[in-house]
Amino acid sequence: MSTFSDLGISNDLVKGLTEMNIVEPSEIQQLAIPLLLTSTNDFIGQAQTGTGKTAAFGLPLLQKIQPQKQEIQGLILAPTRELCQQIAKQLFKFTKFTDKIFIEAVYGGADMTLQIQRLQRPTHIVVATPGRLMDLIKKEVIDISQVKSVVLDEADEMLSMGFKEDLHGILDYIPTERTTWLFSATMPEGIKEIIKKFLKPNPDRIEVGRSAGVNANITHEFVICNSKDKVQEMLHFLSYHKNERGMIFCQTKQAARVLTKQLQAKNISVDVIEGDMGQRDRDKVMRMFKTEKTEILVATDIAARGIDVKGLSFVLHYQLPQQIEYYTHRSGRTGRAGEKGISIAFISEKDRPKLLDIEKELKIRIKPLS
Ligand code: AMP
């Protein structure tokens, strides 16, 4: 079994990792780190959250930074504020024992003046949502002319959130003498277009997980029931999984809100996160969930983007997602960092064909609940 040192990671970074209890490189880390450290080629990593991909690109990126130069050398683009914050936080922790590397996260929905002020300080790595970065570029308050490494994290999510134009704009803007590392759980057309247009002709490619970004630690099951019995079926499942934590996904905000009320009425420790909520309320709900004050989080697909919460043992689908890719993203909230997880779809008979499509497309087996 190789260690992070074997992969080429410096002692200072290894010390930081050890303090975070990260000692055994995950699959994507084993495959990607040596390549990213030594190759100047572009890179495509097909992996979903929970595989350790932040460290897979974060460690080589940190190691490439020249701290004595006070310019932005690394740029990480991610779809949501939450994910930007998490990436910045992880990188900051990794660097506890290294020379000072300054990392700044900039994202929409937060005070731009403050972010501009912070960017006046020496900054080596910027973690940004595409929309906010574009605003900062247009205002000419950020200098990305010296960026050598660009990471697109959860590129498919960035596209499905409508950041295509900003992404293209940013990639057009950054000097071409750069390396681009693209991470995506799925490879829809829009991603292929970006690869063709903005990456070098033969990028290195790595795919982890059994297939199409699906995490092998997750078991997939389904329950068939009438719509009116779904809540009851879920309560039944939850009663057998007391003291375990998880997420429940709905397709619509309305369904998410109603379901949450129904579960709360049965004394389940549950809260909801959906797109219509203000950022403050969302932050509050996330804080409660992360600090384990609530056990279960009901969420819509959009609102749940970028959520990284440890120790979730199940994901329940109250409604199947609109897009097949979302099934991967939903399920990926469990089975993180090598733990086991279960993903259960509560469906009515008419949803069977859709479930078969998911199985076929993602090359997974979804069994009847045992
Ligand atoms: P990510 O896929 O980057 O979102 O990482 C998921 C979680 O796994 C994060 O909380 C990391 O801190 C943790 N993690 C990353 N790499 C490892 C590793 N090699 N061993 C244990 N935990 C890890």
Side-chain angles (χ1 to χ4, degrees):
M1 172 52 90
S2 59
T3 62
F4 283 98
S5 304
D6 297 336
L7 301 179
I9 296 300
S10 70
N11 289 342
D12 290 347
L13 283 170
V14 170
K15 233 164 121 181
L17 289 171
T18 310
E19 197 156 287
M20 294 167 74
N21 241 336
I22 299 184
V23 283
E24 231 177 72
S26 68
E27 188 185 359
I28 181 119
Q29 290 160 359
Q30 298 212 27
L31 295 169
I33 289 173
L35 201 61
L36 298 182
L37 278 176
T38 53
S39 169
T40 52
N41 196 5
D42 286 345
F43 174 89
I44 299 166
Q46 192 165 355
Q48 63 176 65
T49 52
T51 50
K53 69 179 160 57
T54 312
F57 66 73
L59 297 168
L61 178 65
L62 287 168
Q63 216 153 297
K64 280 176 191 272
I65 299 296
Q66 297 180 281
Q68 68 284 7
K69 288 194 181 162
Q70 300 198 345
E71 55 203 24
I72 301 171
Q73 300 158 51
L75 175 66
I76 302 170
L77 293 170
T80 62
R81 164 194 172 121
E82 283 82 12
L83 190 58
C84 287
Q85 288 172 327
Q86 273 163 28
I87 294 170
K89 198 163 146 199
Q90 278 209 53
L91 299 199
F92 175 71
K93 283 192 189 166
F94 295 158
T95 57
K96 184 164 176 191
F97 300 100
T98 68
D99 288 341
K100 213 88 207 83
I101 294 178
F102 295 102
I103 303 150
E104 209 56 71
V106 293
Y107 36 76
D111 185 9
M112 179 142 37
T113 322
L114 197 66
Q115 292 178 357
I116 294 172
Q117 269 172 23
R118 293 208 176 119
L119 287 170
Q120 308 301 314
R121 306 180 299 192
T123 307
H124 298 111
I125 297 176
V126 168
V127 191
T129 50
R132 178 52 57 98
L133 181 66
M134 207 55 200
D135 291 343
L136 295 167
I137 292 173
K138 283 185 186 149
K139 280 185 178 289
E140 298 185 9
V141 289
I142 187 166
D143 178 10
I144 52 171
S145 63
Q146 302 304 312
V147 166
K148 305 280 181 295
S149 310
V150 180
V151 182
L152 308 179
D153 192 20
E154 306 209 348
D156 49 355
E157 296 256 344
M158 289 199 273
L159 285 186
S160 55
M161 290 188 70
F163 283 133
K164 176 176 169 179
E165 216 170 291
D166 289 325
L167 266 183
H168 283 233
I170 293 165
L171 291 169
D172 260 334
Y173 191 84
I174 303 169
T176 45
E177 315 80 77
R178 59 163 196 244
T179 32
T180 309
W181 303 341
L182 179 147
F183 286 82
S184 198
T186 56
M187 291 286 157
E189 262 326 296
I191 295 294
K192 290 182 187 149
E193 193 185 330
I194 287 186
I195 293 172
K196 215 164 139 201
K197 198 159 166 204
F198 297 106
L199 268 62
K200 292 172 188 148
N202 287 304
D204 294 318
R205 279 174 191 267
I206 278 175
E207 190 179 337
V208 302
R210 213 166 21 174
S211 63
V214 173
N215 181 337
N217 287 322
I218 305 170
T219 316
H220 301 268
E221 303 195 351
F222 70 90
V223 181
I224 292 204
C225 52
N226 293 326
S227 300
K228 63 175 177 39
D229 298 331
K230 264 191 197 177
V231 176
Q232 204 49 45
E233 287 285 342
M234 279 198 168
L235 285 167
H236 186 67
F237 173 87
L238 295 175
S239 71
Y240 276 95
H241 293 80
K242 281 210 170 80
N243 304 320
E244 286 179 37
R245 311 182 63 234
M247 287 183 71
I248 305 177
F249 281 91
C250 298
Q251 211 186 86
T252 65
K253 296 165 199 165
Q254 168 75 1
R257 282 193 293 259
V258 172
L259 175 65
T260 306
K261 289 224 168 69
Q262 287 170 315
L263 295 176
Q264 281 168 341
K266 299 287 179 189
N267 289 324
I268 304 285
S269 165
V270 55
D271 221 331
V272 62
I273 188 161
E274 41 88 356
D276 278 352
M277 289 162 61
Q279 193 66 50
R280 278 176 69 150
D281 287 337
R282 285 162 62 152
D283 284 348
K284 190 170 154 221
V285 167
M286 280 316 297
R287 214 166 33 245
M288 296 285 280
F289 190 50
K290 281 191 173 174
T291 53
E292 305 191 11
K293 298 207 171 61
T294 37
E295 283 177 11
I296 291 158
L297 186 63
V298 175
T300 53
D301 290 291
I302 309 285
R305 287 189 171 137
I307 291 180
D308 173 23
V309 179
K310 284 210 182 98
L312 300 187
S313 53
F314 59 83
V315 163
L316 308 184
H317 309 258
Y318 181 72
Q319 294 165 317
L320 284 178
Q322 213 142 27
Q323 296 176 26
I324 290 183
E325 280 115 65
Y326 287 170
Y327 183 89
T328 311
H329 295 304
R330 287 179 174 191
S331 308
R333 306 294 158 206
T334 182
R336 298 175 79 78
E339 289 168 13
K340 291 255 176 276
I342 181 165
S343 166
I344 308 178
F346 291 76
I347 59 166
S348 52
E349 194 60 56
K350 70 171 177 23
D351 288 328
R352 275 303 280 275
K354 206 165 166 189
L355 204 69
L356 288 172
D357 283 346
I358 292 176
E359 281 193 299
K360 218 165 92 198
E361 180 83 10
L362 302 177
K363 302 191 189 70
I364 54 173
R365 172 123 164 72
I366 310 181
K367 299 174 296 186
L369 182 64
S370 49

